Amino acid sequence: MNGPCTIDGSVMSVIFQNEENGYTVLRLTTGDGEVVTVVGTIPCAAPGESMIVEGRWMTHPTHGEQVQAERVERHLPDTEAEIQAYLGSGVVKGVGPATAERIVACFGAQTLTVLEEEPERLGEVRGITARKAREIAESFAYHTGMRRLMDFLNRNDLPLTLALRLYRRYGVKALEEVKKNPYLLVDETYGVDFAVMDAIALGQGLPGDSPRRVDAAVLFELSYNLGNGHVFLPRDKLVDAASRLIDCPADMVEAALDSLVERGAVCREQVARVEACYLRRLHEAERNVTARLDRMLRFQADRLVPERVEETIAQIEAGQGITYAPAQRRAVELAARQGVVLLTGGPGTGKTTSVRGIVALLDRMGCTMMLMAPTGRAAKRLGELCGREAQTIHRALGTTWQDEQVVFQRSEKDPLEAEAVIVDEMSMVDLPLMSALLSALKPDCRLVMVGDPDQLPSVGPGNVFGDLIRSGRVETVALTEIFRQAQASAIVRAAHAVNSGQLPELKNPPDSDFFFMRRRDPLTAVDLVVELCKTRLPQNMGVEAGQIQVLCPTRKGEWGTGALNRALQAALNPPAPDKRQKTWGDMVFRVGDRVMQIRNNYDVLWEKSDGTAGTGIFNGDVGVVEAIDPAGELLQVRFDDRTAAYTPDMLSELELAYAVTVHKAQGSEYRAVVLVALPAAPALMVRGVLYTGITRARELLVAVGDDGALLRMAQNDRQQKRYSGLRWRLKRLA
C-alpha cells in the first residue's frame, strides 16, 4: 500500500511522543474498526481525541504499513467516556485516571468547557486544591492552545513543526500573535515563504496597502538577501525590490522604510556614497567588528616586542629541520610583533609550515593558545597539522539556542582565556560569526587569521576575509611562491592554472595525482562516477570508497548531487535483509550511509565514547548512520568522535553525502576527490567554484565531465558583488 490517503478516527493509544519536537507515533481507530499506525508531528496527542489525518502510506521495514501525517485536523472528545479517557491518559499535568473520573463525574459532558472557561470551578471536585486547579488549568490551556495553533497551520498548509517553536516563543498567545501578524513566520527563524504568508494575510482581510504588509515586504527583502551574501541593500534597490514584491507604489515603501528606521528595526547609514539599509543586528555586527578590530590594533601599538625573536625562530627551524622562505619568516615574526595578522596563500605555498611555525613561536613565548576553524572537518585537520587540539568557532564560543535565537556563552562579559587565537579557513567566516568571535577576545589577545582568498566566500552574509585584506588596515602576509615539492603535484599546478584563468593540463602521466576523464553525457558521467567510487579507485589506486568524496557544482538535474547520491547509495550501500533503513519523504537512510547536516541545530544532543556530552550539530558536519532502532524512530549518527540521535522529524536536516556541492565542501579536505564538471547554471560556472573544488583534494583528484565546461569556468572570474560596509569602515580608521 502506497500513496496519499485520508484517515478519520479516534486516538486509541500513543506509542511514542517526543516532548521536545512533538514527533509522535500513535494508533488511530477508524469508524469501521480498523487500527492504523500514524507517525508525524502531532504534539500533545492523547487517547480519546478525534483526528482527520491527511498523509501518505509508507512501508516500515519492521512495523509494516503506516501513515506519515502531513496535515492533521484534531477535535477534542465529546462523550463522557471519551473525555475521561482523554484526561486520564496523563496528557494534562496533574490529572490521572482517578482524578479524571472525579472531574467528569462532577461536570459531565461540560468538563472540557469548564476546564477552558471556568477552571476555578475545579475546586468543587473533591481532592483538588486551588493550587492544583491552577496547575490543571495551565496545562489544559497549553494543550488547547497547541491544538488550535495546529488547526490554523493545517488550514493554511503550513508545516506542523512550527507549532512547538511558536509556542516556545509566544506561549498561550502564539496563535493570537500569528493571526495578528502572519508575516512573523517569514522571519528567518521560521523560514516560511513570503508569498505563502502574504496570501494568508490577504485572505484574512488584510488590506493590500496595509502598513504591516509593506513593513513585512521591506524586512523580507533585507532578510532574503542575507542568503545572497549581502550585509545591507542600497536604499534604491531595496525600495524597488519591495515595491515589485507586493506590487505597491514606491512612495509607500519609502514611508514604511522611514517608519522602520524610526522604530529601530532597520538602520540606515551613508556607506561609501551609498545609502545603505541594514537589519539592525547586521548593522550592529558590522560596527562591532570594526570597533573591536580597531581596539585590538590600537592595543598592539603598546605591545612589548618579544626579545630575541629572530634567535627563537632559528631554533624552531633547526628543531623542525626546515628553513623558512622570506614570506614565511615574516609571517612567523609578525605573529609575535603584531596583535592582528592575516596570512593568505593557495595550495603549495607553505601556509601549513607557516602556521606550525607561528604555533611553535607563540608556545615558546608562553602564550595560552586556541586553534579554531569554522567547520568540524577544518578544525580536525588544523589540529592534526599542528599537533594540538583545535575546535570549531561555534564550540569555542559555547553556542546555544534560546528562544529561537543563537546565544554565545563566551562574550565580552565572559571572554575566552586565550592570549593568542589562530583561525583557519577564514574565507568561510561570515560577519555575525566574526562579530561573536571578536566579542569573546580580550583586547590584548593576538589574532592570526589564515585562509585562501581565492576560495568561495562565506555562505552567510559578508565577505569578511576579503574586506580585511583589501582594507589595508591589517598586516597581511601573502604567500605566493609554490615550493618545489608542491610543484610536483598536478593538483597544485591545476589549482594555480585555474586561478590564473587557464585550463589545467588534462593529460597527465599514470603516476600523476590528477586525471581528467571526458564524459559529456550526464547519465554516462554519473555511471562513470559510480564505477570510480565502487571499483576503479579502490582496486587500482588503493583508495577506499569511504575516503572518496564526490563534488559537484549543482544540486539539481541529471548529474547534480541529488542524482549522484541516489546512484552512489544504491552502489555502495544497497538494501539488505539485515540492514535497517528509514524512509523520509523521497529519501532513504540506511545504516552505513554517509550523511551531512544541512543547517545549524543548536539543540541536538551528542555524546562521546568517553561519556562527554554536549549540544549542537552544525551545517556541513558529515557523519555516518551507525544504527537505526527497531521501531525506526531513532537514527544514531556518528560525527567523527560524537554520536547524535535523530528523531524522524529531524531528518529534514540530513541529506546523503556521498556527493556534496562544492559550496558545502568548503573548509574540508579529502584524500580523494571525484569532481563532476558539466554545463550548469551560469552562477555556478565560475572560477571560484572550480578552484575550490580542485583544492579540496589532498592526494588524488579525478575530474569527470566536459573540458569545455572546465575552460569556461577557469576563464569566468565573475564574482557576485556583496554589499558590505566593513572594508569602508576599516579604511576610515587608518
Side-chain angles (χ1 to χ4, degrees):
M1 192 182 301
N2 286 294
C5 63
T6 300
I7 307 293
D8 188 347
S10 63
V11 179
M12 182 178 76
S13 60
V14 177
I15 308 302
F16 172 84
Q17 191 157 74
N18 187 316
E19 293 184 1
E20 292 296 314
N21 53 41
Y23 183 80
T24 301
V25 181
L26 56 83
R27 301 272 196 259
L28 201 67
T29 305
T30 67
D32 58 5
E34 183 185 3
V35 178
V36 178
T37 301
V38 177
V39 302
T41 302
I42 315 174
C44 311
E49 63 176 306
S50 301
M51 290 184 183
I52 301 174
V53 178
E54 294 181 18
R56 300 185 67 83
W57 283 106
M58 311 289 288
T59 303
H60 191 282
T62 303
H63 302 288
E65 302 294 335
Q66 56 187 30
V67 175
Q68 175 69 55
E70 296 170 355
R71 298 181 71 248
V72 182
E73 182 180 332
R74 303 169 67 173
H75 303 280
L76 286 176
D78 49 17
T79 70
E80 292 187 15
E82 290 174 338
I83 293 171
Q84 185 173 321
Y86 173 76
L87 293 177
S89 69
V91 68
V92 177
K93 187 178 179 181
V95 180
T99 304
E101 184 179 359
R102 293 199 303 274
I103 294 173
V104 174
C106 188
F107 303 116
Q110 297 301 307
T111 294
L112 299 183
T113 303
V114 171
L115 285 172
E116 183 172 5
E117 299 177 3
E118 302 176 279
E120 66 278 0
R121 291 187 60 191
L122 285 170
E124 301 172 18
V125 180
R126 179 174 54 82
I128 297 182
T129 63
R131 179 179 178 182
K132 187 172 182 179
R134 284 194 301 272
E135 289 179 355
I136 293 172
E138 289 173 1
S139 178
F140 186 74
Y142 168 77
H143 290 282
T144 302
M146 182 64 72
R147 190 181 69 257
R148 289 174 177 165
L149 179 59
M150 288 189 64
D151 287 343
F152 174 85
L153 297 174
N154 257 329
R155 288 195 305 273
N156 292 285
D157 292 321
L158 294 170
L160 297 180
T161 52
L162 293 174
L164 276 167
R165 296 168 66 187
L166 285 165
Y167 224 91
R168 279 199 292 263
R169 187 165 186 173
Y170 298 107
V172 295
K173 294 185 177 180
L175 181 58
E176 179 185 337
E177 291 293 329
V178 174
K179 285 184 173 180
K180 185 167 62 178
N181 181 18
Y183 296 104
L184 66 84
L185 292 180
V186 180
D187 183 272
E188 57 189 302
T189 303
Y190 305 108
V192 180
D193 185 78
F194 179 89
V196 171
M197 295 315 302
D198 193 44
I200 291 172
L202 295 174
Q204 293 180 176
L206 187 77
D209 60 353
S210 165
R212 187 181 300 158
R213 182 176 186 237
V214 188
D215 286 355
V218 172
L219 294 173
F220 168 75
E221 287 294 344
L222 288 172
S223 295
Y224 175 80
N225 278 283
L226 298 180
N228 293 326
H230 301 306
V231 178
F232 69 80
L233 288 181
R235 179 179 178 127
D236 58 342
K237 293 185 180 295
L238 173 59
V239 170
D240 180 63
S243 176
R244 286 187 285 109
L245 178 68
I246 58 174
D247 192 22
C248 74
D251 59 349
M252 287 180 59
V253 178
E254 292 275 7
L257 179 57
D258 290 342
S259 175
L260 288 166
V261 171
E262 286 180 17
R263 285 178 277 156
V266 174
C267 299
R268 191 166 55 202
E269 184 180 358
Q270 198 73 22
V271 174
R273 300 189 300 277
V274 174
E275 191 172 3
C277 300
Y278 296 79
L279 289 172
R280 184 176 63 187
R281 66 179 181 88
L282 272 298
H283 188 252
E284 292 174 350
E286 194 171 270
R287 289 170 59 89
N288 185 57
V289 169
T290 306
R292 292 186 179 278
L293 275 174
D294 184 48
R295 186 171 65 168
M296 294 174 74
L297 291 165
R298 292 183 186 280
F299 190 93
Q300 73 184 27
D302 302 323
R303 188 186 299 276
L304 294 174
V305 178
E307 297 180 357
R308 303 168 64 185
V309 170
E310 293 84 357
E311 183 180 332
T312 303
I313 293 174
Q315 292 171 357
I316 293 170
E317 287 180 311
Q320 296 182 351
I322 58 173
T323 300
Y324 295 130
Q328 292 177 310
R329 176 178 290 274
R330 182 167 177 267
V332 178
E333 286 184 7
L334 281 175
R337 300 181 184 276
Q338 301 288 331
V340 185
V341 176
L342 298 173
L343 176 61
T344 75
T349 58
K351 279 204 311 287
T352 299
T353 300
S354 302
V355 171
R356 284 178 179 146
I358 291 169
V359 170
L361 179 59
L362 294 176
D363 227 4
R364 289 180 178 240
M365 291 168 55
C367 290
T368 305
M369 230 179 314
M370 293 184 72
L371 274 58
M372 304 180 192
T375 68
R377 281 181 172 263
K380 184 180 180 182
R381 188 177 75 249
L382 177 63
E384 291 170 350
L385 292 172
C386 295
R388 59 174 52 221
E389 182 188 6
Q391 55 191 316
T392 64
I393 301 173
H394 285 95
R395 189 156 298 136
L397 297 180
T399 311
T400 58
W401 187 250
Q402 297 178 9
D403 299 326
E404 304 297 328
Q405 299 292 324
V406 177
V407 176
F408 299 102
Q409 302 301 318
R410 311 309 295 264
S411 64
E412 186 176 24
K413 295 179 180 179
D414 184 18
L416 295 169
E417 296 297 328
E419 297 167 309
V421 169
I422 299 173
V423 183
D424 198 10
E425 296 290 350
M426 266 300 299
S427 63
M428 298 181 66
V429 178
D430 62 20
L431 181 68
L433 187 57
M434 186 65 177
S435 177
L437 173 61
L438 292 178
S439 295
L441 300 184
K442 297 176 180 179
D444 61 344
C445 180
R446 287 178 166 83
L447 177 60
V448 180
M449 294 172 281
V450 185
D452 185 345
D454 296 311
Q455 286 189 30
L456 293 168
S458 60
V459 175
N463 188 8
V464 173
F465 197 43
D467 284 347
L468 291 176
I469 295 168
R470 288 187 289 272
S471 73
R473 187 71 179 83
V474 182
E475 286 279 5
T476 301
V477 180
L479 303 178
T480 57
E481 179 187 352
I482 305 174
F483 290 94
R484 187 168 58 189
Q485 61 269 34
Q487 291 177 357
S489 168
I491 296 174
V492 172
R493 296 197 303 272
H496 288 278
V498 167
N499 210 26
S500 57
Q502 300 173 0
L503 183 69
E505 177 58 53
L506 301 181
K507 296 180 179 179
N508 290 303
D511 60 347
S512 176
D513 57 1
F514 171 43
F515 302 96
F516 172 70
M517 305 182 78
R518 184 181 291 105
R519 297 292 189 276
R520 290 174 175 163
D521 175 65
L523 297 180
T524 306
V526 171
D527 288 343
L528 175 58
V529 170
V530 171
E531 187 182 348
L532 285 165
C533 295
K534 185 177 181 180
T535 56
R536 287 203 191 186
L537 296 185
Q539 293 177 6
N540 301 333
M541 307 295 291
V543 183
E544 298 176 5
Q547 298 175 316
I548 305 167
Q549 182 62 61
V550 178
L551 302 182
C552 180
T554 183
R555 294 173 56 89
K556 301 177 181 178
E558 295 177 304
W559 61 280
T561 57
L564 285 164
N565 271 315
R566 288 190 292 272
L568 288 164
Q569 182 191 46
L572 302 177
N573 192 30
D578 60 343
K579 188 182 295 181
R580 288 182 179 145
Q581 63 182 46
K582 174 69 179 177
T583 300
W584 181 253
D586 59 353
M587 287 191 292
V588 176
F589 297 100
R590 291 191 193 106
V591 172
D593 276 338
R594 190 189 308 173
V595 294
M596 174 181 282
Q597 178 78 16
I598 59 172
R599 62 178 63 94
N600 291 338
N601 187 328
Y602 302 92
D603 292 331
V604 179
L605 297 172
W606 52 259
E607 187 175 354
K608 294 185 178 180
S609 57
D610 62 1
T612 306
T615 60
I617 302 293
F618 302 108
N619 187 4
D621 286 354
V622 175
V624 175
V625 179
E626 279 200 326
I628 301 176
D629 78 307
E633 307 308 331
L634 279 180
L635 272 74
Q636 298 287 342
V637 182
R638 176 173 49 81
F639 298 91
D640 293 325
D641 59 344
R642 298 165 295 149
T643 300
Y646 284 72
T647 53
D649 65 296
M650 299 162 62
L651 296 183
S652 61
E653 299 180 358
L654 289 178
E655 62 182 28
L656 295 175
Y658 298 99
V660 302
T661 63
V662 174
H663 285 82
K664 287 289 189 183
Q666 284 181 266
S668 296
E669 188 179 81
Y670 312 97
R671 182 183 175 188
V673 165
V674 177
L675 177 63
V676 187
L678 288 163
L684 299 172
M685 300 299 288
V686 295
R687 184 183 300 170
V689 171
L690 180 56
Y691 177 82
T692 301
I694 290 172
T695 55
R696 299 310 87 202
R698 184 173 67 250
E699 297 180 17
L700 178 66
L701 171 67
V702 182
V704 175
D706 185 343
D707 49 344
L710 289 174
L711 178 59
R712 289 194 295 276
M713 294 175 78
Q715 293 178 335
N716 185 359
D717 195 26
R718 183 179 62 83
Q719 296 181 358
Q720 181 190 20
K721 178 178 176 63
R722 292 191 168 195
Y723 292 113
S724 164
L726 182 59
R727 176 186 176 187
W728 173 79
R729 295 181 192 277
L730 290 170
K731 287 177 75 72
R732 291 177 69 203
L733 297 176

